[in-house]
Amino acid sequence: DAGVTQSPTHLIKTRGQQVTLRCSPISGHKSVSWYQQVLGQGPQFIFQYYEKEERGRGNFPDRFSARQFPNYSSELNVNALLLGDSALYLCASTLSGGPFYEQYFGPGTRLTVT
Amino acid sequence: AQSVTQLDSHVSVSEGTPVLLRCNYSSSYSPSLFWYVQHPNKGLQLLLKYTSAATLVKGINGFEAEFKKSETSFHLTKPSAHMSDAAEYFCVVADQTGANNLFFGTGTRLTVIP
């Protein structure tokens, strides 16, 4: 079975631009979460979506937004990029939306903002 | 609020010797705790999880962790280090207030010396 897939693998953007990152969950999984991992730190929670609705949001500005589609894939959008947005963005899929389900992580999208 | 503290940012061991990676947790609830491993340029992989069953949890690749409520600790151990164990290890506590988000520690980089 295919695991969590993310695209693109790498991305270079300029300050002020907008970026869209994509994630496809494991088949049958209905929940997707997004995390930001800055170099040298642990991942930080950004969003969780379950059945196309936002279930949780971390401490990130409104420049960050996301959505989940009927096929449970997800997009993360970041507007007005700052240098500090440079990070590895990880997507995780879960069978359901509750707190006891194991999260399976994708390989991530490395975003560099210049 | 939930959080974890990884007590060592870097641990270095010789191949064949024991591994100990230390983690303390803080949680208002009975916690769900995890250890994840991240190899360079690869996604996060779940090593093991504790969800209030047995206090000694066995994971993949010979790793295990012991939940000690009196010490609020969840240290990761392995009897004999292998070169392939060299990676970044994250101690993680799950948010149990609703959303299925995870709170990661800052990570411990394990180096294995041949």
Side-chain angles (χ1 to χ4, degrees):
Chain A
D1 285 343
V4 178
T5 59
Q6 293 185 243
S7 63
T9 306
H10 295 88
L11 204 52
I12 300 176
K13 290 286 188 178
T14 304
R15 276 177 297 176
Q17 287 187 316
Q18 175 265 341
V19 68
T20 298
L21 311 180
R22 296 176 176 82
C23 171
S24 292
I26 293 171
S27 177
H29 284 196
K30 299 181 178 181
S31 179
V32 169
S33 297
W34 287 95
Y35 292 80
Q36 180 197 63
Q37 186 179 16
V38 174
L39 194 63
Q41 298 182 18
Q44 277 197 294
F45 171 71
I46 310 174
F47 286 111
Q48 186 206 7
Y49 276 78
Y50 174 62
E51 291 282 12
K52 302 180 289 295
E53 292 193 359
E54 183 181 305
R55 287 288 297 270
R57 183 185 182 114
N59 188 24
F60 280 81
D62 291 343
R63 299 185 297 107
F64 289 77
S65 63
R67 55 179 174 169
Q68 187 177 33
F69 298 98
N71 66 353
Y72 302 110
S73 68
S74 177
E75 288 183 350
L76 175 69
N77 295 285
V78 187
N79 294 322
L81 285 167
L82 304 174
L83 294 179
D85 296 331
S86 294
L88 181 67
Y89 288 85
L90 297 164
C91 172
S93 82
T94 319
L95 189 61
S96 184
F100 303 108
Y101 293 90
E102 181 177 335
Q103 296 195 25
Y104 296 83
F105 284 83
T109 293
R110 184 160 299 282
L111 171 65
T112 302
V113 182
T114 63
Chain B
Q2 296 89 34
S3 66
V4 289
T5 301
Q6 293 185 245
L7 301 175
D8 306 290
S9 59
H10 187 205
V11 170
S12 184
V13 301
S14 296
E15 189 176 17
T17 65
V19 176
L20 170 63
L21 305 183
R22 298 182 296 164
C23 173
N24 287 346
Y25 71 89
S26 173
S27 177
S28 304
Y29 306 89
S30 179
S32 291
L33 294 162
F34 309 80
W35 276 97
Y36 279 84
V37 61
Q38 187 174 39
H39 287 92
N41 301 316
K42 291 190 177 181
L44 287 158
Q45 182 183 19
L46 179 67
L47 280 178
L48 49 82
K49 62 181 177 181
Y50 166 79
T51 54
S52 73
T55 57
L56 183 63
V57 183
K58 293 189 183 298
I60 62 172
N61 300 333
F63 284 95
E64 62 181 35
E66 186 172 7
F67 174 74
K68 291 186 176 180
K69 185 176 181 179
S70 61
E71 299 176 10
T72 62
S73 69
F74 190 58
H75 301 335
L76 181 71
T77 61
K78 183 174 181 178
S80 176
H82 191 272
M83 294 299 295
S84 61
D85 294 329
E88 189 86 17
Y89 291 79
F90 293 97
C91 181
V92 182
V93 62
D95 180 7
Q96 299 190 45
T97 60
N100 187 18
N101 53 299
L102 302 176
F103 296 99
F104 283 76
T106 52
T108 297
R109 179 163 298 277
L110 177 64
T111 299
V112 182
I113 303 167

